[in-house]
Amino acid sequence: MQKELAEMSLEELWELFPIILKEHNPQYKEWFEIEERQLLSCSKSQDIKRVSHIGSSAVKGLIAKPTIDILLEVEKRCNITALIENLMFKNWILMSSAYEPELRLAFNKGYTPDGFAEKVYHLHVRYSGDWGELYFRDYLLDHADVAVEYGNLKLSLVKEFEHNRDGYTAAKTEFIARYTQKAKRAYAGRYTPSE
């Protein structure tokens, strides 16, 4: 009898959902746009500040996990409980939630008891802000040499951390932080929320 995902240990989940890197798929942009339209229907339009395609799949030519990372920024007045219910109704699985010191909700879609579905998504819900992921993405888009360096770093890590997502993420942290800071200096205020 097959276990449900919620019944699996972290180690079992990592075994079922290993780190896989693939060449950039030009359909990622279309997959994001389809999901973006669905997300815009999950809350009152005035509560949604911005929906952004982030992560490596947003950078043309960059090797990436075949996962569409989406940042959904909402206004402080947004009814978060209703938003969560609407997202879950649309087959998003709430993986983690934090409300202090700031709102950070993480949802997944495309994870099944048999492994990855054809389309896999990670959704990050936060209040509108000056988020580093946006700057890092823009820096990679504007600096192909840094994107290549990042791709090579990921390739060097995948074997060691194939079944350890936390280790894989931690091993990339210094690189991401360095270029995010450069991006924030180069693009100062680009994503600062307007009042």
Side-chain angles (χ1 to χ4, degrees):
M1 187 162 151
Q2 194 171 42
K3 277 187 178 181
E4 291 297 318
L5 296 179
E7 299 169 327
M8 293 183 186
S9 69
L10 191 56
E11 290 75 21
E12 289 172 314
L13 289 168
W14 283 346
E15 192 66 33
L16 184 60
F17 303 110
I19 302 294
I20 297 169
L21 296 177
K22 293 188 174 185
E23 294 297 323
H24 184 82
N25 181 342
Q27 290 184 304
Y28 290 157
K29 184 175 189 272
E30 179 185 328
W31 294 355
F32 162 74
E33 289 169 352
I34 291 167
E35 204 58 45
E36 177 185 31
R37 287 191 293 276
Q38 301 245 345
L39 289 169
L40 291 171
S41 70
C42 286
S43 188
K44 295 177 185 172
S45 60
Q46 69 267 22
D47 289 346
I48 295 178
K49 185 71 173 174
R50 184 171 43 221
V51 183
S52 304
H53 187 180
I54 59 172
S56 295
S57 66
V59 181
K60 186 176 180 182
L62 179 57
I63 194 162
K65 295 192 304 289
T67 302
I68 308 302
D69 281 288
I70 301 172
L71 175 61
L72 174 64
E73 294 175 85
V74 296
E75 297 286 1
K76 298 245 193 241
R77 68 176 171 257
C78 181
N79 181 334
I80 298 300
T81 302
L83 177 63
I84 292 170
E85 289 172 0
N86 289 337
L87 288 168
M88 292 174 73
F89 181 75
K90 293 189 183 264
N91 299 316
W92 286 97
I93 300 168
L94 180 61
M95 301 303 293
S96 65
S97 59
Y99 299 89
E100 298 294 334
E102 60 199 22
L103 176 70
R104 283 185 178 263
L105 305 176
F107 293 84
N108 290 350
K109 188 189 279 191
Y111 289 76
T112 77
D114 297 317
F116 294 114
E118 178 192 0
K119 297 176 185 173
V120 179
Y121 298 89
H122 291 171
L123 176 65
H124 312 270
V125 179
R126 300 185 194 148
Y127 290 128
S128 182
D130 202 34
W131 300 111
E133 293 92 336
L134 297 167
Y135 288 94
F136 184 64
R137 175 205 62 199
D138 289 359
Y139 201 84
L140 295 179
L141 287 167
D142 292 345
H143 298 84
D145 58 325
V146 177
V148 168
E149 186 182 350
Y150 185 48
N152 289 337
L153 171 65
K154 293 193 295 181
L155 285 169
S156 74
L157 298 172
V158 72
K159 199 94 158 146
E160 179 181 357
F161 296 108
E162 180 181 11
H163 298 287
N164 180 350
R165 284 180 178 264
D166 291 346
Y168 178 75
T169 300
K172 299 183 304 176
T173 298
E174 189 277 327
F175 183 96
I176 292 169
R178 179 172 8 120
Y179 286 105
T180 298
Q181 289 311 309
K182 286 185 178 200
K184 284 192 168 195
R185 286 191 299 274
Y187 313 129
R190 179 178 282 186
Y191 294 109
T192 303
S194 56
E195 296 302 322

PDB file of all heavy atoms in Angstrom, residues 117-139:
ATOM      1  N   ALA A 117       5.067  15.361 -11.006  1.00  0.00           N
ATOM      2  CA  ALA A 117       4.153  15.469 -12.144  1.00  0.00           C
ATOM      3  C   ALA A 117       4.920  16.149 -13.286  1.00  0.00           C
ATOM      4  O   ALA A 117       6.071  16.563 -13.118  1.00  0.00           O
ATOM      5  CB  ALA A 117       2.930  16.293 -11.749  1.00  0.00           C
ATOM      6  N   GLU A 118       4.266  16.297 -14.440  1.00  0.00           N
ATOM      7  CA  GLU A 118       4.935  16.958 -15.572  1.00  0.00           C
ATOM      8  C   GLU A 118       5.286  18.399 -15.238  1.00  0.00           C
ATOM      9  O   GLU A 118       6.366  18.879 -15.569  1.00  0.00           O
ATOM     10  CB  GLU A 118       4.032  16.936 -16.808  1.00  0.00           C
ATOM     11  CG  GLU A 118       4.661  17.655 -17.993  1.00  0.00           C
ATOM     12  CD  GLU A 118       3.703  17.917 -19.131  1.00  0.00           C
ATOM     13  OE1 GLU A 118       2.516  17.552 -19.041  1.00  0.00           O
ATOM     14  OE2 GLU A 118       4.161  18.503 -20.128  1.00  0.00           O
ATOM     15  N   LYS A 119       4.381  19.114 -14.561  1.00  0.00           N
ATOM     16  CA  LYS A 119       4.606  20.507 -14.185  1.00  0.00           C
ATOM     17  C   LYS A 119       4.676  20.591 -12.664  1.00  0.00           C
ATOM     18  O   LYS A 119       3.773  20.118 -11.974  1.00  0.00           O
ATOM     19  CB  LYS A 119       3.477  21.396 -14.704  1.00  0.00           C
ATOM     20  CG  LYS A 119       3.372  21.425 -16.210  1.00  0.00           C
ATOM     21  CD  LYS A 119       2.173  22.237 -16.648  1.00  0.00           C
ATOM     22  CE  LYS A 119       1.996  22.152 -18.147  1.00  0.00           C
ATOM     23  NZ  LYS A 119       0.747  22.790 -18.583  1.00  0.00           N
ATOM     24  N   VAL A 120       5.752  21.198 -12.179  1.00  0.00           N
ATOM     25  CA  VAL A 120       5.969  21.314 -10.739  1.00  0.00           C
ATOM     26  C   VAL A 120       6.145  22.794 -10.401  1.00  0.00           C
ATOM     27  O   VAL A 120       6.852  23.517 -11.111  1.00  0.00           O
ATOM     28  CB  VAL A 120       7.213  20.511 -10.298  1.00  0.00           C
ATOM     29  CG1 VAL A 120       7.448  20.652  -8.796  1.00  0.00           C
ATOM     30  CG2 VAL A 120       7.063  19.047 -10.689  1.00  0.00           C
ATOM     31  N   TYR A 121       5.488  23.214  -9.339  1.00  0.00           N
ATOM     32  CA  TYR A 121       5.505  24.619  -8.936  1.00  0.00           C
ATOM     33  C   TYR A 121       5.819  24.750  -7.455  1.00  0.00           C
ATOM     34  O   TYR A 121       5.393  23.926  -6.653  1.00  0.00           O
ATOM     35  CB  TYR A 121       4.135  25.268  -9.162  1.00  0.00           C
ATOM     36  CG  TYR A 121       3.676  25.300 -10.592  1.00  0.00           C
ATOM     37  CD1 TYR A 121       2.943  24.247 -11.128  1.00  0.00           C
ATOM     38  CD2 TYR A 121       3.953  26.395 -11.403  1.00  0.00           C
ATOM     39  CE1 TYR A 121       2.504  24.277 -12.447  1.00  0.00           C
ATOM     40  CE2 TYR A 121       3.524  26.441 -12.720  1.00  0.00           C
ATOM     41  CZ  TYR A 121       2.804  25.385 -13.232  1.00  0.00           C
ATOM     42  OH  TYR A 121       2.374  25.422 -14.531  1.00  0.00           O
ATOM     43  N   HIS A 122       6.528  25.820  -7.110  1.00  0.00           N
ATOM     44  CA  HIS A 122       6.688  26.270  -5.731  1.00  0.00           C
ATOM     45  C   HIS A 122       6.146  27.688  -5.688  1.00  0.00           C
ATOM     46  O   HIS A 122       6.527  28.517  -6.513  1.00  0.00           O
ATOM     47  CB  HIS A 122       8.156  26.293  -5.304  1.00  0.00           C
ATOM     48  CG  HIS A 122       8.764  24.935  -5.176  1.00  0.00           C
ATOM     49  ND1 HIS A 122      10.114  24.754  -4.990  1.00  0.00           N
ATOM     50  CD2 HIS A 122       8.225  23.700  -5.209  1.00  0.00           C
ATOM     51  CE1 HIS A 122      10.370  23.458  -4.913  1.00  0.00           C
ATOM     52  NE2 HIS A 122       9.235  22.798  -5.048  1.00  0.00           N
ATOM     53  N   LEU A 123       5.274  27.956  -4.747  1.00  0.00           N
ATOM     54  CA  LEU A 123       4.668  29.273  -4.596  1.00  0.00           C
ATOM     55  C   LEU A 123       5.078  29.868  -3.258  1.00  0.00           C
ATOM     56  O   LEU A 123       4.909  29.234  -2.213  1.00  0.00           O
ATOM     57  CB  LEU A 123       3.142  29.167  -4.678  1.00  0.00           C
ATOM     58  CG  LEU A 123       2.358  30.453  -4.454  1.00  0.00           C
ATOM     59  CD1 LEU A 123       2.645  31.474  -5.557  1.00  0.00           C
ATOM     60  CD2 LEU A 123       0.860  30.149  -4.379  1.00  0.00           C
ATOM     61  N   HIS A 124       5.630  31.068  -3.299  1.00  0.00           N
ATOM     62  CA  HIS A 124       6.054  31.786  -2.106  1.00  0.00           C
ATOM     63  C   HIS A 124       5.118  32.976  -1.941  1.00  0.00           C
ATOM     64  O   HIS A 124       5.068  33.840  -2.819  1.00  0.00           O
ATOM     65  CB  HIS A 124       7.498  32.259  -2.263  1.00  0.00           C
ATOM     66  CG  HIS A 124       8.421  31.172  -2.748  1.00  0.00           C
ATOM     67  ND1 HIS A 124       9.101  30.338  -1.893  1.00  0.00           N
ATOM     68  CD2 HIS A 124       8.731  30.759  -4.012  1.00  0.00           C
ATOM     69  CE1 HIS A 124       9.803  29.470  -2.605  1.00  0.00           C
ATOM     70  NE2 HIS A 124       9.599  29.703  -3.889  1.00  0.00           N
ATOM     71  N   VAL A 125       4.364  33.018  -0.853  1.00  0.00           N
ATOM     72  CA  VAL A 125       3.422  34.105  -0.606  1.00  0.00           C
ATOM     73  C   VAL A 125       3.992  34.979   0.501  1.00  0.00           C
ATOM     74  O   VAL A 125       4.336  34.481   1.577  1.00  0.00           O
ATOM     75  CB  VAL A 125       2.028  33.576  -0.195  1.00  0.00           C
ATOM     76  CG1 VAL A 125       1.083  34.738   0.088  1.00  0.00           C
ATOM     77  CG2 VAL A 125       1.459  32.661  -1.272  1.00  0.00           C
ATOM     78  N   ARG A 126       4.097  36.281   0.199  1.00  0.00           N
ATOM     79  CA  ARG A 126       4.637  37.235   1.162  1.00  0.00           C
ATOM     80  C   ARG A 126       3.906  38.558   1.001  1.00  0.00           C
ATOM     81  O   ARG A 126       3.291  38.811  -0.023  1.00  0.00           O
ATOM     82  CB  ARG A 126       6.126  37.478   0.920  1.00  0.00           C
ATOM     83  CG  ARG A 126       6.956  36.225   1.049  1.00  0.00           C
ATOM     84  CD  ARG A 126       8.412  36.519   0.920  1.00  0.00           C
ATOM     85  NE  ARG A 126       9.149  35.275   0.721  1.00  0.00           N
ATOM     86  CZ  ARG A 126      10.251  35.176   0.016  1.00  0.00           C
ATOM     87  NH1 ARG A 126      10.766  36.240  -0.556  1.00  0.00           N
ATOM     88  NH2 ARG A 126      10.848  34.021  -0.118  1.00  0.00           N
ATOM     89  N   TYR A 127       4.054  39.391   2.015  1.00  0.00           N
ATOM     90  CA  TYR A 127       3.590  40.757   1.854  1.00  0.00           C
ATOM     91  C   TYR A 127       4.527  41.459   0.882  1.00  0.00           C
ATOM     92  O   TYR A 127       5.690  41.081   0.730  1.00  0.00           O
ATOM     93  CB  TYR A 127       3.551  41.502   3.190  1.00  0.00           C
ATOM     94  CG  TYR A 127       2.463  41.016   4.125  1.00  0.00           C
ATOM     95  CD1 TYR A 127       2.753  40.653   5.431  1.00  0.00           C
ATOM     96  CD2 TYR A 127       1.144  40.926   3.688  1.00  0.00           C
ATOM     97  CE1 TYR A 127       1.749  40.203   6.288  1.00  0.00           C
ATOM     98  CE2 TYR A 127       0.132  40.476   4.531  1.00  0.00           C
ATOM     99  CZ  TYR A 127       0.445  40.113   5.826  1.00  0.00           C
ATOM    100  OH  TYR A 127      -0.532  39.668   6.659  1.00  0.00           O
ATOM    101  N   SER A 128       4.025  42.478   0.228  1.00  0.00           N
ATOM    102  CA  SER A 128       4.808  43.229  -0.740  1.00  0.00           C
ATOM    103  C   SER A 128       6.100  43.716  -0.100  1.00  0.00           C
ATOM    104  O   SER A 128       6.101  44.233   1.011  1.00  0.00           O
ATOM    105  CB  SER A 128       3.964  44.416  -1.228  1.00  0.00           C
ATOM    106  OG  SER A 128       4.657  45.144  -2.180  1.00  0.00           O
ATOM    107  N   GLY A 129       7.224  43.516  -0.817  1.00  0.00           N
ATOM    108  CA  GLY A 129       8.513  43.895  -0.240  1.00  0.00           C
ATOM    109  C   GLY A 129       9.616  43.983  -1.272  1.00  0.00           C
ATOM    110  O   GLY A 129       9.420  43.727  -2.462  1.00  0.00           O
ATOM    111  N   ASP A 130      10.795  44.320  -0.802  1.00  0.00           N
ATOM    112  CA  ASP A 130      11.986  44.499  -1.623  1.00  0.00           C
ATOM    113  C   ASP A 130      12.774  43.178  -1.588  1.00  0.00           C
ATOM    114  O   ASP A 130      13.861  43.098  -1.015  1.00  0.00           O
ATOM    115  CB  ASP A 130      12.799  45.664  -1.022  1.00  0.00           C
ATOM    116  CG  ASP A 130      13.745  46.296  -2.007  1.00  0.00           C
ATOM    117  OD1 ASP A 130      13.416  46.359  -3.200  1.00  0.00           O
ATOM    118  OD2 ASP A 130      14.828  46.736  -1.577  1.00  0.00           O
ATOM    119  N   TRP A 131      12.226  42.132  -2.189  1.00  0.00           N
ATOM    120  CA  TRP A 131      12.714  40.767  -2.018  1.00  0.00           C
ATOM    121  C   TRP A 131      13.959  40.469  -2.849  1.00  0.00           C
ATOM    122  O   TRP A 131      14.017  40.754  -4.033  1.00  0.00           O
ATOM    123  CB  TRP A 131      11.607  39.764  -2.336  1.00  0.00           C
ATOM    124  CG  TRP A 131      10.430  39.957  -1.431  1.00  0.00           C
ATOM    125  CD1 TRP A 131       9.197  40.428  -1.758  1.00  0.00           C
ATOM    126  CD2 TRP A 131      10.392  39.725  -0.022  1.00  0.00           C
ATOM    127  NE1 TRP A 131       8.392  40.494  -0.656  1.00  0.00           N
ATOM    128  CE2 TRP A 131       9.100  40.073   0.427  1.00  0.00           C
ATOM    129  CE3 TRP A 131      11.326  39.267   0.894  1.00  0.00           C
ATOM    130  CZ2 TRP A 131       8.722  39.961   1.758  1.00  0.00           C
ATOM    131  CZ3 TRP A 131      10.942  39.166   2.231  1.00  0.00           C
ATOM    132  CH2 TRP A 131       9.659  39.499   2.646  1.00  0.00           C
ATOM    133  N   GLY A 132      14.922  39.829  -2.212  1.00  0.00           N
ATOM    134  CA  GLY A 132      16.188  39.500  -2.862  1.00  0.00           C
ATOM    135  C   GLY A 132      16.045  38.608  -4.078  1.00  0.00           C
ATOM    136  O   GLY A 132      16.818  38.713  -5.034  1.00  0.00           O
ATOM    137  N   GLU A 133      15.069  37.706  -4.068  1.00  0.00           N
ATOM    138  CA  GLU A 133      14.890  36.794  -5.209  1.00  0.00           C
ATOM    139  C   GLU A 133      14.667  37.548  -6.516  1.00  0.00           C
ATOM    140  O   GLU A 133      15.097  37.094  -7.581  1.00  0.00           O
ATOM    141  CB  GLU A 133      13.701  35.859  -4.969  1.00  0.00           C
ATOM    142  CG  GLU A 133      13.903  34.870  -3.843  1.00  0.00           C
ATOM    143  CD  GLU A 133      13.403  35.373  -2.493  1.00  0.00           C
ATOM    144  OE1 GLU A 133      13.312  36.599  -2.281  1.00  0.00           O
ATOM    145  OE2 GLU A 133      13.124  34.524  -1.631  1.00  0.00           O
ATOM    146  N   LEU A 134      13.987  38.673  -6.443  1.00  0.00           N
ATOM    147  CA  LEU A 134      13.727  39.467  -7.648  1.00  0.00           C
ATOM    148  C   LEU A 134      15.020  40.079  -8.174  1.00  0.00           C
ATOM    149  O   LEU A 134      15.278  40.085  -9.378  1.00  0.00           O
ATOM    150  CB  LEU A 134      12.697  40.557  -7.341  1.00  0.00           C
ATOM    151  CG  LEU A 134      11.319  40.050  -6.918  1.00  0.00           C
ATOM    152  CD1 LEU A 134      10.491  41.190  -6.330  1.00  0.00           C
ATOM    153  CD2 LEU A 134      10.604  39.419  -8.093  1.00  0.00           C
ATOM    154  N   TYR A 135      15.840  40.587  -7.263  1.00  0.00           N
ATOM    155  CA  TYR A 135      17.106  41.190  -7.655  1.00  0.00           C
ATOM    156  C   TYR A 135      18.067  40.140  -8.221  1.00  0.00           C
ATOM    157  O   TYR A 135      18.736  40.376  -9.227  1.00  0.00           O
ATOM    158  CB  TYR A 135      17.750  41.898  -6.458  1.00  0.00           C
ATOM    159  CG  TYR A 135      17.049  43.173  -6.072  1.00  0.00           C
ATOM    160  CD1 TYR A 135      16.063  43.184  -5.093  1.00  0.00           C
ATOM    161  CD2 TYR A 135      17.370  44.378  -6.689  1.00  0.00           C
ATOM    162  CE1 TYR A 135      15.420  44.351  -4.734  1.00  0.00           C
ATOM    163  CE2 TYR A 135      16.725  45.556  -6.342  1.00  0.00           C
ATOM    164  CZ  TYR A 135      15.750  45.538  -5.367  1.00  0.00           C
ATOM    165  OH  TYR A 135      15.106  46.700  -5.026  1.00  0.00           O
ATOM    166  N   PHE A 136      18.152  38.996  -7.549  1.00  0.00           N
ATOM    167  CA  PHE A 136      19.049  37.929  -8.003  1.00  0.00           C
ATOM    168  C   PHE A 136      18.648  37.470  -9.401  1.00  0.00           C
ATOM    169  O   PHE A 136      19.502  37.324 -10.284  1.00  0.00           O
ATOM    170  CB  PHE A 136      19.030  36.767  -7.008  1.00  0.00           C
ATOM    171  CG  PHE A 136      19.996  35.659  -7.340  1.00  0.00           C
ATOM    172  CD1 PHE A 136      21.360  35.886  -7.343  1.00  0.00           C
ATOM    173  CD2 PHE A 136      19.533  34.392  -7.659  1.00  0.00           C
ATOM    174  CE1 PHE A 136      22.259  34.859  -7.653  1.00  0.00           C
ATOM    175  CE2 PHE A 136      20.411  33.363  -7.964  1.00  0.00           C
ATOM    176  CZ  PHE A 136      21.781  33.595  -7.959  1.00  0.00           C
ATOM    177  N   ARG A 137      17.359  37.259  -9.638  1.00  0.00           N
ATOM    178  CA  ARG A 137      16.878  36.870 -10.968  1.00  0.00           C
ATOM    179  C   ARG A 137      17.288  37.902 -12.017  1.00  0.00           C
ATOM    180  O   ARG A 137      17.815  37.553 -13.066  1.00  0.00           O
ATOM    181  CB  ARG A 137      15.355  36.730 -10.942  1.00  0.00           C
ATOM    182  CG  ARG A 137      14.746  36.438 -12.316  1.00  0.00           C
ATOM    183  CD  ARG A 137      13.315  36.875 -12.425  1.00  0.00           C
ATOM    184  NE  ARG A 137      13.161  38.308 -12.244  1.00  0.00           N
ATOM    185  CZ  ARG A 137      12.011  38.902 -11.939  1.00  0.00           C
ATOM    186  NH1 ARG A 137      10.914  38.186 -11.776  1.00  0.00           N
ATOM    187  NH2 ARG A 137      11.950  40.213 -11.789  1.00  0.00           N
ATOM    188  N   ASP A 138      17.062  39.176 -11.709  1.00  0.00           N
ATOM    189  CA  ASP A 138      17.389  40.232 -12.665  1.00  0.00           C
ATOM    190  C   ASP A 138      18.883  40.275 -12.955  1.00  0.00           C
ATOM    191  O   ASP A 138      19.304  40.501 -14.094  1.00  0.00           O
ATOM    192  CB  ASP A 138      16.924  41.589 -12.152  1.00  0.00           C
ATOM    193  CG  ASP A 138      15.405  41.735 -12.181  1.00  0.00           C
ATOM    194  OD1 ASP A 138      14.707  40.793 -12.610  1.00  0.00           O
ATOM    195  OD2 ASP A 138      14.909  42.801 -11.764  1.00  0.00           O
ATOM    196  N   TYR A 139      19.696  40.049 -11.918  1.00  0.00           N
ATOM    197  CA  TYR A 139      21.148  40.069 -12.112  1.00  0.00           C
ATOM    198  C   TYR A 139      21.571  38.935 -13.037  1.00  0.00           C
ATOM    199  O   TYR A 139      22.407  39.134 -13.930  1.00  0.00           O
ATOM    200  CB  TYR A 139      21.860  39.981 -10.758  1.00  0.00           C
ATOM    201  CG  TYR A 139      23.274  40.498 -10.806  1.00  0.00           C
ATOM    202  CD1 TYR A 139      23.532  41.864 -10.674  1.00  0.00           C
ATOM    203  CD2 TYR A 139      24.356  39.651 -10.982  1.00  0.00           C
ATOM    204  CE1 TYR A 139      24.827  42.362 -10.726  1.00  0.00           C
ATOM    205  CE2 TYR A 139      25.644  40.124 -11.039  1.00  0.00           C
ATOM    206  CZ  TYR A 139      25.885  41.491 -10.905  1.00  0.00           C
ATOM    207  OH  TYR A 139      27.171  41.972 -10.976  1.00  0.00           O
TER     208      TYR A 139
END
